Amino acid sequence: MSLLLRVRSTVASLHRFSRALSSVSVSEHKLAEPVLETDLCSIHPAAVVHPNAVIGQGVSIGPFCTVGASAKLGNQCQLYPGSHVFGNTVLGEHCVLLTGAVVGDDLPGQTVIGCNNTIGYHAVVGVKCQDLKYKTGDGCFLHIGDNNEIREYASIHRSSKSSDRTVIGNNNLIMGSCHIAHDCKIGNNNIFANNTLLAGHVVVEDYVRTAGAIVIHQFCHVGSFAFIGGGSAISQDVPKYMMVTGERAELRGLNLEGLRRHGFTTPEMRSLRTAYQRIFMPSDASSGGFEERLAEVEQNEVLAQVSSVRSMVQSIRDCFAENRRGICKFRHWNG
């Protein structure tokens, strides 16, 4: 009899435990759904989203986010907790703002960001420039293309005047703590290592690589496929295909490894190397001045047929055009 009572007591306890588990599961489920689901969007109730903001389908907005009245978020954008979109800002589809990221500013003008961009932790993109010549009330603009990754603590500023804009192309990797100032023009497929700092009005073409902790003076121009060594200070232009390094950066030859990785053929690289040596490394004093050496390469029957050589020579000439800063220093070796 006592055994039967113990069995009944155990069964009753199991039933009570099962009911308790069910009630905990229900309460946990209730706690897990404080997210507002509207038109296939997920907006956390702790987010502040202005009713005039335009929100695409499948957008996810986490807690403590802010979306301003003039913001437009494309389909499938994700705002991680504590990220913010201010001012007249357009985000393309599939953009991701990680925690602490700030995009846009309540200023005249606009920030436009294309599709598939990632804005890293605490990065600040599309805010007022640090140029004292900027006049309060002027429109200022930033345009960013597609498929860019902007890492943690990077900063990218809008233009300093309404007639210009800061522009970043497609497929760029901008690593942590980089700075791109007002009115810069960045092309496609560039990689900026940590602490790459660009002053205002700098132009960087395509497929440029920088090592860490480099600075580029305002109005400088960096040609395609160039490489800038770590710790360098760039105060003059860097032509296409070239490698520079140094506290006051000097030309150190061609970026042959970068050219090889991007599909330049061996004959092309040999021709570029020959042209570089004739221009920057004359074998004797009878080689003439710099302009004469450039002209000699342009008139050489073999080198003049190579498109990359012609492009390099034109890039060198462009460095001396009006409103340009001239070419980086180059070491002069005699044979």
Side-chain angles (χ1 to χ4, degrees):
M1 183 69 177
S2 61
L3 177 62
L4 180 61
L5 287 173
R6 283 200 299 273
V7 169
R8 286 176 177 174
S9 173
T10 301
V11 169
S13 298
L14 287 172
H15 279 297
R16 285 196 300 274
F17 182 67
S18 175
R19 285 196 298 274
L21 279 178
S22 298
S23 108
V24 169
S25 175
V26 169
S27 63
E28 282 182 349
H29 180 67
K30 288 179 180 176
L31 287 173
E33 19 172 68
V35 173
L36 178 63
E37 302 281 349
T38 59
D39 297 327
L40 304 178
C41 295
S42 170
I43 302 176
H44 195 280
V48 179
V49 180
H50 196 281
N52 292 340
V54 178
I55 310 297
Q57 293 187 348
V59 171
S60 172
I61 302 176
F64 314 116
C65 293
T66 308
V67 180
S70 302
K72 298 180 178 64
L73 309 187
N75 298 337
Q76 306 298 324
C77 284
Q78 297 180 55
L79 274 62
Y80 277 58
S83 56
H84 309 280
V85 182
F86 297 120
N88 186 2
T89 297
V90 178
L91 290 183
E93 296 183 355
H94 300 281
C95 286
V96 177
L97 273 61
L98 298 177
T99 297
V102 177
V103 177
D105 204 345
D106 290 316
L107 295 169
Q110 190 178 41
T111 297
V112 178
I113 297 180
C115 301
N116 301 306
N117 293 289
T118 299
I119 313 297
Y121 298 100
H122 302 281
V124 179
V125 176
V127 298
K128 178 183 173 183
C129 67
Q130 297 174 153
D131 187 348
L132 295 177
K133 296 189 295 297
Y134 172 73
K135 297 178 181 178
T136 302
D138 279 0
C140 46
F141 301 90
L142 167 66
H143 285 191
I144 297 179
D146 303 330
N147 306 311
N148 297 287
E149 184 172 3
I150 300 167
R151 295 297 300 267
E152 58 276 5
Y153 296 100
S155 57
I156 302 174
H157 290 174
R158 289 203 214 174
S159 62
S160 62
K161 50 189 177 182
S162 58
S163 59
D164 208 340
R165 62 193 62 198
T166 305
V167 177
I168 296 176
N170 306 319
N171 304 305
N172 296 289
L173 170 57
I174 300 170
M175 297 188 192
S177 301
C178 289
H179 175 64
I180 298 176
H182 58 89
D183 308 293
C184 284
K185 306 291 186 292
I186 311 300
N188 305 317
N189 302 293
N190 298 295
I191 298 178
F192 297 162
N194 300 68
N195 293 292
T196 291
L197 309 178
L198 276 60
H201 304 275
V202 167
V203 176
V204 179
E205 295 182 0
D206 304 325
Y207 296 99
V208 172
R209 303 290 185 264
T210 74
I214 71 113
V215 295
I216 304 182
H217 192 282
Q218 61 187 5
F219 293 100
C220 282
H221 193 119
V222 181
S224 297
F225 299 99
F227 177 83
I228 301 175
S232 299
I234 307 298
S235 57
Q236 292 178 289
D237 292 354
V238 181
K240 283 184 176 182
Y241 312 132
M242 299 198 184
M243 182 167 54
V244 297
T245 189
E247 188 273 330
R248 281 293 179 267
E250 298 178 350
L251 298 182
R252 298 299 177 93
L254 294 170
N255 180 22
L256 294 174
E257 181 60 24
L259 298 178
R260 183 189 64 79
R261 291 180 181 181
H262 287 98
F264 282 69
T265 65
T266 300
E268 275 184 297
M269 290 190 288
R270 284 176 181 159
S271 297
L272 284 168
R273 193 168 189 174
T274 300
Y276 181 92
Q277 289 171 342
R278 293 190 180 186
I279 296 168
F280 296 108
M281 302 168 60
S283 57
D284 54 60
S286 63
S287 301
F290 187 75
E291 175 62 33
E292 292 172 325
R293 298 197 296 271
L294 276 176
E296 179 191 344
V297 170
E298 288 175 317
Q299 295 164 12
N300 184 282
E301 292 183 1
V302 176
L303 297 177
Q305 301 303 315
V306 182
S307 61
S308 54
V309 171
R310 295 196 303 271
S311 182
M312 182 182 75
V313 172
Q314 185 59 52
S315 179
I316 294 169
R317 288 198 177 280
D318 290 343
C319 294
F320 298 100
E322 188 177 0
N323 298 324
R324 294 282 290 269
R325 293 187 55 80
I327 197 171
C328 276
K329 292 187 298 183
F330 56 92
R331 292 187 173 185
H332 184 102
W333 289 275
N334 286 324

